[in-house]
Amino acid sequence: MGFVTDIGGRTSHTAIMAKSLEIPAVVGLEKATVKIKAGDMLIVDGSDGTVIMNPDARMLKQYHAKQQKFFRFEKTLFGLKDEPAETLDGHRVEMAANIELPEEIDSVISHGANGIGLYRTEYFYMNRRGLPTEDEQFEAYKKVVTRFEGNPVVVRTLDLGGDKFLSQLEVPHEMNPFLGWRAIRFCLAKPEIFKVQLRAILRASAFGNIKVMFPMISGVEELRQAIAILEEAKEELRVRKIKFNEDIEIGAMIEIPSAALTCDLLAKEVDFFSIGTNDLIQYALAVDRVNEKIAYLYEPTHPAVLRLIKGIIDAGHKENIWVGMCGEMAGEVALGLILLGLGLDEFSMSPAAVPEIKYVIRNVRFDDAKKIAEKALTFSTGTEVEEFTNKRLYELIPNLKKISNKTKP
Ligand code: PEP
Ligand code: MG
């Protein structure tokens, strides 16, 4: 029904999984396991990040009412399922969702996303003996892409490491796992493992609109190496006379500051960017995303983060490629206004966050969002940005305050 943890932040992998499985969760409470005893009754309010132990009758009643309001709000938003994510003045963006398991597709479709902006593939490699085969991965990718009938499905290649541990692969324990041998670094060192996945993705590309995306790219050289291995995988399929999309779109995740600052160069080598704010924020602000003690420093609205995001979007557009975002920031309501105004082309988030973001986009003017983004970039602190965007959000869409369950967005 819900869970709480001592450690973690809101973009730790545990929190992301909870969101995608729609399980109420509050993470990073530090002493929950000491304070909470077996048999205690808990209210877990995932919208607010609050946990109440042994509530009295009044409190229970209040939270039951809040829960009902939440369900009613969800129902209202579900009405937008088949509507496009288009502003009042006709600017359209792509609404996509993030998944880890093929079983999540139903939830993506029912929440009204029309594609997958991030298919995390670590799941294949976790909690199992041995490595996943090419056929097993191919079947899973094919299943997902055929369900989306021509709509985009972005498969991200293996991003092990950080807070995603793999039981089978011999990855040594590291002092700084988020700065260590993870993601593309691991794949480039193990091309035989990497190519199995690339061939599976390529084979599935014959059945729908699959795109391939590399995580943790730090610069042009690494990107070129990844593309060279993709080319080898293509050649191996040609030799086996297996069909695939020769022009499969290739994307780079922009989640390392060095990539963000050189994305004018990277943009010349790929078909799209997807901004991974979960990591980009932790690296730009030097804030470990799973460390609850410094979670207060993890600020998506920090001027440094906003400047990086603006730079990435502008550089992508200058080279005529589309720019999406698949970090958790894309699903934060008030920040959606800034991202929209900065010209983000695709928003990808936990399926459950899709309806509310779509509602916001459909109830504002692109012109207004542009002004909000412009103004947001003039503030000196993240707090000022947050206060300003929240204020503007409720001024532009007063209805949201009335119906939303959240006490703070
Ligand atoms: C990110 O870093 O923003 C991202 C989407 O990838 P992950 O959370 O899997 O690291
Ligand atoms: Mg990441």
Side-chain angles (χ1 to χ4, degrees), residues 316-354:
H317 288 173
K318 210 163 164 204
E319 289 297 329
N320 294 317
I321 64 170
W322 63 268
V323 182
M325 178 179 288
C326 59
E328 293 301 293
M329 185 174 176
E332 303 230 0
V333 184
L335 305 183
L337 287 179
I338 301 181
L339 300 174
L340 180 69
L342 288 176
L344 190 73
D345 302 297
E346 179 235 37
F347 291 64
S348 192
M349 63 203 77
S350 315
V354 168

Side-chain angles (χ1 to χ4, degrees), residues 247-252 267 269-273 320-322:
D247 301 317
I248 187 169
E249 274 190 37
I250 302 172
E269 320 246 341
V270 288
D271 303 299
F272 66 94
F273 283 154
N320 294 317
I321 64 170
W322 63 268

Side-chain angles (χ1 to χ4, degrees), residues 11 13 16 98 118 120 122 156 159 163-164 178 182 216 253-255 275-280 289 298 326-328:
T11 63
H13 195 236
I16 292 171
N98 301 346
L118 169 64
R120 289 187 169 94
E122 294 75 48
R156 177 182 70 184
D159 182 18
D163 63 343
K164 285 167 275 187
F178 277 112
R182 62 172 291 207
M216 293 284 293
M253 277 193 81
I254 306 296
E255 51 184 343
I275 309 174
T277 48
N278 303 341
D279 279 313
L280 184 61
R289 65 194 254 197
Y298 193 94
C326 59
E328 293 301 293

Side-chain angles (χ1 to χ4, degrees), residues 154-308:
V154 179
V155 181
R156 177 182 70 184
T157 60
L158 180 60
D159 182 18
L160 95 107
D163 63 343
K164 285 167 275 187
F165 306 107
L166 304 194
S167 26
Q168 280 310 300
L169 299 169
E170 278 160 27
V171 180
H173 188 73
E174 295 179 333
M175 292 280 279
N176 288 304
F178 277 112
L179 299 182
W181 197 44
R182 62 172 291 207
I184 199 71
R185 300 163 182 189
F186 172 86
C187 289
L188 293 178
K190 299 265 184 197
E192 65 291 352
I193 296 179
F194 192 27
K195 268 199 270 180
V196 171
Q197 179 174 41
L198 293 174
R199 286 194 305 265
I201 298 170
L202 285 167
R203 281 170 60 189
S205 71
F207 296 86
N209 188 2
I210 272 203
K211 304 172 199 295
V212 62
M213 174 162 85
F214 300 122
M216 293 284 293
I217 292 293
S218 65
V220 169
E221 214 152 35
E222 218 171 21
L223 177 62
R224 286 185 185 158
Q225 285 169 18
I227 294 174
I229 296 182
L230 179 70
E231 286 304 323
E232 283 175 29
K234 283 183 177 176
E235 187 51 32
E236 286 164 12
L237 291 182
R238 282 186 207 111
V239 171
R240 279 160 60 190
K241 299 207 171 357
I242 296 179
K243 273 204 305 206
F244 62 91
N245 175 9
E246 288 277 355
D247 301 317
I248 187 169
E249 274 190 37
I250 302 172
M253 277 193 81
I254 306 296
E255 51 184 343
I256 298 185
S258 60
L261 294 169
T262 52
C263 53
D264 55 326
L265 309 173
L266 292 166
K268 296 187 199 314
E269 320 246 341
V270 288
D271 303 299
F272 66 94
F273 283 154
S274 186
I275 309 174
T277 48
N278 303 341
D279 279 313
L280 184 61
I281 296 171
Q282 80 163 343
Y283 297 132
L285 305 182
V287 178
D288 183 342
R289 65 194 254 197
V290 300
N291 187 335
E292 64 286 349
K293 293 215 168 45
I294 46 168
Y296 69 98
L297 288 172
Y298 193 94
E299 269 189 316
T301 49
H302 192 293
V305 176
L306 297 186
R307 288 180 193 186
L308 287 173

